[in-house]
Amino acid sequence: EVQLLESGGGLVQPGGSLRLSCAASGFTFSNYAMTWVRQAPGKGLEWVSAIGGTAGDTYYADSVKGRFTISRDNSKNTLYLQMNSLRSEDTAIYYCAKTTSGCCRFDYWGQGSLVTVSS
Amino acid sequence: DMVMTQTPLSLSVTPGQPASISCKSSQSLLHGDGKTYMYWYLQKPGQSPQLLIYEVSNRFSGVPDRFSGSGSGTDFTLKISRVEAEDVGVYYCMQGIHLPPPTFGQGTKLEIK
């Protein structure tokens, strides 16, 4: 059974940093790209970042480029999102998603991790 | 970024009746490989999103056959042949060809009458 478990969310002040983790199990982690999608309170879904299976390719939304860094440790079956220079508009639930067939078939999602940026 | 426009934004359906959601993209989603990278996701209340349909019309594993996707180019439709109570939630279309980023529609909230 595929399982994705996010952690690391919380309350942080504007300008602060946070690192999210997504622990994966139930599939061969290194064979799949992984994606972060976020959802601001009461809003829709927004793609944030993605990384290839071997971590050679990374992609970012313009809204987070230069501030967020996606990475993975295939030996630990874990995906990360390092978030720096956080802004109030980054407040959201962050979901990690297993990604099949290239970019955008997000076939399994984690339960989400809430990040709140506020003073 | 590619714009995905869903209609309606909300609908209320009697159990057992059909429902239909439209999604229009600002550019064609047909790739040179012959595939059309259009997806449908459902977010049930209090839950994470889940994949329903990929590449226009392919149901993901475990998705009931009352769900069907159709369309081509820039116009797509998700249909539920007979709505059940468990189908409530917000439905999102998403394009995966004009990247980055993949873009979602605004979402369509389905409620039961």
Side-chain angles (χ1 to χ4, degrees), chain B residues 3-107:
Chain B
V3 176
M4 304 294 286
T5 303
Q6 289 182 230
T7 54
L9 297 184
S10 66
L11 70 165
S12 183
V13 182
T14 300
Q17 294 301 302
S20 179
I21 301 170
S22 170
C23 183
K24 297 184 186 297
S25 58
S26 55
Q27 298 177 57
S28 174
L29 303 188
L30 175 62
H31 194 274
D33 63 7
K35 294 181 180 180
T36 301
Y37 291 96
M38 170 63 178
Y39 305 82
W40 289 96
Y41 294 90
L42 165 61
Q43 186 173 30
K44 295 183 178 182
Q47 296 186 18
S48 305
Q50 60 188 81
L51 176 63
L52 289 178
I53 302 284
Y54 62 94
E55 293 161 21
V56 180
S57 59
N58 298 283
R59 277 189 302 277
F60 182 56
S61 174
V63 174
D65 61 7
R66 64 179 180 275
F67 290 92
S68 64
S70 63
S72 64
T74 61
D75 291 349
F76 303 92
T77 302
L78 175 71
K79 292 182 179 178
I80 310 173
S81 59
R82 296 172 305 279
V83 169
E84 297 187 5
E86 66 180 23
D87 300 336
V88 298
V90 181
Y91 291 79
Y92 296 92
C93 63
M94 191 197 79
Q95 66 86 17
I97 182 173
H98 298 278
L99 309 170
T103 46
F104 294 90
Q106 319 97 299

Side-chain angles (χ1 to χ4, degrees), chain A residues 39 47 95 104 106 109-111, chain B residues 41 43 48-49 55 94 101 104:
Chain A
Q39 185 172 38
W47 178 88
Y95 298 100
C104 302
F106 309 143
W109 297 61
Q111 87 290 347
Chain B
Y41 294 90
Q43 186 173 30
S48 305
E55 293 161 21
M94 191 197 79
F104 294 90

Side-chain angles (χ1 to χ4, degrees), chain A residues 13-19 64 66-69 81-87 90:
Chain A
Q13 292 188 340
S17 298
L18 214 54
R19 188 178 82 156
V64 307
R67 301 187 298 122
F68 289 12
T69 302
L81 185 67
Q82 177 67 44
M83 303 183 293
N84 298 331
S85 302
L86 283 161
R87 306 166 179 167
D90 296 318

Side-chain angles (χ1 to χ4, degrees), chain A residues 4-17:
Chain A
L4 299 169
L5 185 62
E6 298 97 336
S7 60
L11 175 63
V12 61
Q13 292 188 340
S17 298

Side-chain angles (χ1 to χ4, degrees), chain A:
Chain A
E1 178 191 7
V2 172
Q3 290 193 332
L4 299 169
L5 185 62
E6 298 97 336
S7 60
L11 175 63
V12 61
Q13 292 188 340
S17 298
L18 214 54
R19 188 178 82 156
L20 300 182
S21 299
C22 171
S25 61
F27 64 102
T28 304
F29 183 67
S30 59
N31 286 354
Y32 293 91
M34 295 293 293
T35 299
W36 289 98
V37 175
R38 69 184 180 183
Q39 185 172 38
K43 302 296 185 182
L45 302 174
E46 179 189 15
W47 178 88
V48 173
S49 182
I51 187 168
T54 57
D57 301 329
T58 58
Y59 309 89
Y60 299 94
D62 286 346
S63 57
V64 307
K65 199 173 295 181
R67 301 187 298 122
F68 289 12
T69 302
I70 191 171
S71 62
R72 64 192 297 160
D73 185 337
N74 287 341
S75 69
K76 295 182 178 179
N77 290 347
T78 302
L79 172 73
Y80 302 100
L81 185 67
Q82 177 67 44
M83 303 183 293
N84 298 331
S85 302
L86 283 161
R87 306 166 179 167
S88 58
E89 56 263 37
D90 296 318
T91 294
I93 297 173
Y94 286 74
Y95 298 100
C96 64
K98 174 178 169 284
T99 304
T100 300
S101 187
C103 153
C104 302
R105 191 189 310 177
F106 309 143
D107 51 4
Y108 292 93
W109 297 61
Q111 87 290 347
S113 184
L114 177 61
V115 173
T116 303
V117 184
S118 175
S119 54

